[in-house]
Amino acid sequence: MSDNSISDIENLIALMAKLPGMGPRSARRAVLHLIRKRGLLLTPLADSMSQVAATARECLNCGNVGTSDICGICSDEARGNGEICVVETVSDLWAMERAAVFKGRYHVLGGTLSALDAVGPEDLGIPRLVDRVVSESVREVILALNATVDGQTTAHYIADQLEGQVQLTSLAQGVPIGGELDYLDDGTITAALKARKTF
């Protein structure tokens, strides 16, 4: 094996180790497995990653990830039912969609307010959310933010911005303090959404 091919493999291991949940050992095992299954896994994975790198984009309306400027959820007329569910991340949106109980639209913040990290309302698209409430004739905003200090601080800020304009609710039972939506099972998300309360 040439030095060049070894450095290519080491580079792949180093990149894989940067993925969430992967360390250097896990990345090394994954890369060796991919190389052994080159035709079955490595080549199709590389092709798929190249395709996604070229076509993936953020929805201009809600912040979801898809392959067009406006995602399938925002372009689905049936989902324009007057409800917007506010989530921190796209993975939280996908967790809600896995539960298959919410039939409205979403607004992905992309994080939470944090003075320490210099993340303000504009960085999270909160003014855009306020505009959407008016332009999409929204009746209810569901604050489905993680039950962390930053998540709750962000929820209170959004509630202040929308006070008197729309009904505000938040997820209820089933979401533990310190819990994150992406780690909850579908039943817990379903129960929390159905038992939401006024914020």
Side-chain angles (χ1 to χ4, degrees):
M1 194 177 282
S2 70
D3 288 342
N4 189 39
S5 62
I6 291 172
S7 65
D8 289 344
I9 293 169
E10 290 298 326
N11 186 45
L12 179 57
I13 291 169
L15 288 170
M16 293 281 284
K18 292 180 180 181
L19 294 173
M22 286 277 229
R25 287 183 187 162
S26 298
R28 193 173 293 112
R29 282 193 300 270
V31 168
L32 287 173
H33 181 74
L34 288 168
I35 290 170
R36 276 190 232 111
K37 304 281 186 176
R38 184 173 306 168
L40 187 64
L41 287 175
L42 184 58
T43 302
L45 178 63
D47 292 344
S48 182
M49 290 177 80
S50 177
Q51 182 68 24
V52 169
T55 61
R57 55 185 39 101
E58 190 176 282
C59 176
L60 298 174
N61 194 43
C62 75
N64 190 11
V65 174
T67 56
S68 59
D69 288 337
I70 302 297
C71 73
I73 294 172
C74 287
S75 61
D76 183 351
E77 291 298 323
R79 297 198 68 151
N81 62 2
E83 295 178 351
I84 289 182
C85 183
V86 179
V87 294
E88 287 180 29
T89 65
V90 172
S91 62
D92 293 338
L93 184 156
W94 290 354
M96 295 291 288
E97 283 296 285
R98 272 197 321 268
V101 290
F102 181 65
K103 302 300 180 198
R105 293 183 175 154
Y106 294 93
H107 189 84
V108 180
L109 296 174
T112 54
L113 293 173
S114 173
L116 195 60
D117 297 322
V119 178
E122 294 77 19
D123 301 312
L124 302 178
I126 294 174
R128 187 165 40 102
L129 170 64
V130 174
D131 291 343
R132 287 184 68 194
V133 166
V134 175
S135 66
E136 296 180 27
S137 302
V138 174
R139 298 183 325 273
E140 180 183 6
V141 171
I142 303 162
L143 299 171
L145 304 180
N146 293 320
T148 60
V149 172
D150 286 344
Q152 295 310 296
T153 300
T154 304
H156 284 287
Y157 179 85
I158 292 170
D160 288 345
Q161 298 302 301
L162 295 174
E163 188 175 6
Q165 297 180 50
V166 67
Q167 180 185 3
L168 288 164
T169 58
S170 64
L171 296 185
Q173 66 192 33
V175 179
I177 299 300
E180 296 183 13
L181 289 176
D182 196 39
Y183 294 100
L184 299 178
D185 65 288
D186 298 349
T188 301
I189 291 174
T190 300
L193 186 64
K194 287 185 178 175
R196 64 186 183 265
K197 62 188 187 321
T198 301
F199 190 82

